[in-house]
Amino acid sequence: MRRALPIFGVLAVLLAAIAIMNPFFLEPAGFLAFVKRAAPLVILAAGQYFVIVSGEFDLSAGSLVTVEVVVAARLIDGDEPATWPVLALLIVLGLLVGLVNGVVTTRLGVPSFITTLGMMLVLSGAVFLWTGGAPRGALSPGFRAFGRESLGPIPWSVLILLAVGSAAVLLMRADFGRTLLATGDNERAAALSGVRVNRVRILAFVLSGLATAVAAILLGGFAGVSAQVGQGLEFQAITAVVLGGVALGGGRGSVVAAMAGALTLEALFTLLNLYGISGALEFTVQGVIIIAAVAAGAVRLPFGFKSLTSST
């Protein structure tokens, strides 16, 4: 955990810079509004962390978010009693997509980059075919409450984020976390020591699908229905994870640092917006972060430098 401190330092600097530009940010309501806005990306980063630290990738998250929101709006269509059954369906759909990604990657031997890229295209095509590019239906007030409303002074999004974050930390402190890191670090050694590598990686993909479903519910509630609601989110999640110091090759990294990386990325985008810098620069920033992270991992730095993060 001590090695994850640098990303928290960067986050603190960015938050201080935002507070200078916008003093309202220092008030509880202002800070909670920021966390509420960042919650879906933080949850996506936690899910992406499980896959990346196992040595794989999940490029289907953004398309899955779009599918979940569009499907929810079409099935609910403003009908409040349909809210909870549809929420359950979205969770199942997320788990199913994660399971398919994991099984195809591990059992059929298809590289996860190709598997999830294919899934991304399948989901994107399915949404376009079903909606014609113009989603129909409407989310119920009960559905939107998760992304917009609060329980007392604390938004539901923040409470859900705390629950997901706590569960992720507990998972990484359990035996699953140790086997996941071992799998990503050295697959063969892990298998020889008795780790069921395929099962561990499938579960990592399933957890990513579950996190994506939860993030989609929050995003749908916060932003409403759109055919582009999840566009680019998979790359933002990957950027957040590598910004948190997680090794793209797997085996090293902290889930807490990965989530802090998502908060840092959101803070950076907020700061750019306050300075009036074009939102198009966000893609450039993400690209620079990913390239720099991969380069840093490939270069052997002096003084026994190691990854900034370790398992939680």
Side-chain angles (χ1 to χ4, degrees), residues 34-45:
F34 165 76
V35 179
K36 172 183 174 180
R37 188 170 62 252
L41 179 58
V42 178
I43 292 172
L44 277 174

Side-chain angles (χ1 to χ4, degrees), residues 221-239:
F222 181 77
V225 184
S226 167
Q228 289 81 38
V229 66
Q231 186 174 16
L233 284 177
E234 63 278 355
F235 299 113
Q236 288 189 29
I238 292 172
T239 304

Side-chain angles (χ1 to χ4, degrees), residues 46-47 49-50 53 163-181 200 203-204 206-208 210-211 255-256 259 311-312:
Y49 164 83
F50 289 115
V53 85
V164 171
S166 299
V169 169
L170 290 175
L171 274 174
M172 291 309 297
R173 288 187 179 275
D175 289 341
F176 169 74
R178 289 187 285 273
T179 57
L180 186 68
L181 288 166
V200 168
L203 184 52
V206 169
L207 289 171
S208 178
L210 176 60
V255 67
V256 173
M259 292 187 288
S311 64
T312 301

Side-chain angles (χ1 to χ4, degrees), residues 91-310:
I91 296 297
V92 171
L93 178 60
L95 294 172
L96 180 61
V97 170
L99 179 62
V100 171
N101 284 337
V103 169
V104 172
T105 297
T106 59
R107 302 298 183 184
L108 300 184
V110 180
S112 59
F113 184 90
I114 300 301
T115 299
T116 56
L117 177 62
M119 180 62 76
M120 177 180 73
L121 296 174
V122 168
L123 294 174
S124 297
V127 166
F128 186 82
L129 180 65
W130 194 25
T131 65
R136 289 171 284 175
L139 298 172
S140 63
F143 188 103
R144 303 208 68 177
F146 291 105
R148 289 192 166 192
E149 297 183 8
S150 305
L151 181 63
I154 305 178
W156 277 108
S157 294
V158 177
L159 293 173
I160 293 171
L161 171 59
L162 291 174
V164 171
S166 299
V169 169
L170 290 175
L171 274 174
M172 291 309 297
R173 288 187 179 275
D175 289 341
F176 169 74
R178 289 187 285 273
T179 57
L180 186 68
L181 288 166
T183 297
D185 186 46
N186 190 320
E187 176 182 347
R188 181 171 176 79
L192 290 174
S193 65
V195 175
R196 297 184 176 182
V197 171
N198 287 348
R199 179 179 293 183
V200 168
R201 282 184 168 148
I202 289 174
L203 184 52
F205 277 105
V206 169
L207 289 171
S208 178
L210 176 60
T212 302
V214 174
I217 292 169
L218 298 184
L219 272 171
F222 181 77
V225 184
S226 167
Q228 289 81 38
V229 66
Q231 186 174 16
L233 284 177
E234 63 278 355
F235 299 113
Q236 288 189 29
I238 292 172
T239 304
V241 171
V242 299
L243 185 60
V246 179
L248 282 178
R252 297 193 306 275
S254 161
V255 67
V256 173
M259 292 187 288
L263 285 171
T264 302
L265 192 63
E266 187 65 36
L268 179 59
F269 292 160
T270 300
L271 191 60
L272 292 176
N273 184 59
L274 288 173
Y275 276 103
I277 299 175
S278 172
L281 190 61
E282 293 180 2
F283 296 104
T284 303
V285 171
Q286 293 177 58
V288 169
I289 290 172
I290 291 176
I291 292 172
V294 174
V299 176
R300 186 181 182 86
L301 297 178
F303 309 115
F305 179 85
K306 295 181 181 180
S307 173
L308 292 178
T309 59
S310 62

